[in-house]
Amino acid sequence: MGGLQPWHWLIVIAVFVLLFGAKKLPDAARSLGKSMRIFKSEIKEMQSDGKDDEAAKPAASPTQISSERVEPSPAPAPHSTEQRPA
């Protein structure tokens, strides 16, 4: 009672064939398969990037609190000793 019976699947397949036609179903299945492969490869890449980022981080890097940060003073403007011709 809880799951789909084989005849339920037959009805679902019949509805898809009627809606999309027999010619478009193989193309749709092929496109869905390609999309799933791309999705899986992107997920694996994201997971490997996350592991690489964690491994690259230093074990304990001290972070400064905003009140402890010292803002660099602006550099003085350079004084030119050359005289420009007028």
Side-chain angles (χ1 to χ4, degrees):
M1 214 119 138
L4 291 177
Q5 301 294 322
W7 64 275
H8 289 124
W9 286 109
L10 291 174
I11 292 173
V12 169
I13 291 170
V15 168
F16 274 108
V17 169
L18 288 174
L19 287 176
F20 298 108
K23 292 182 180 179
K24 290 188 180 182
L25 283 177
D27 292 335
R30 197 172 300 117
S31 296
L32 182 64
K34 286 181 183 178
S35 298
M36 290 304 294
R37 278 190 296 262
I38 291 170
F39 181 72
K40 287 169 92 175
S41 67
E42 290 295 325
I43 293 295
K44 286 180 183 178
E45 185 178 327
M46 287 175 58
Q47 288 175 345
S48 68
D49 285 348
K51 290 178 184 176
D52 291 345
D53 290 344
E54 289 176 6
K57 289 182 182 177
S61 60
T63 56
Q64 293 181 337
I65 300 174
S66 62
S67 63
E68 294 177 347
R69 292 187 181 143
V70 177
E71 296 294 324
S73 60
H79 296 288
S80 176
T81 57
E82 298 178 18
Q83 292 181 351
R84 295 185 184 172

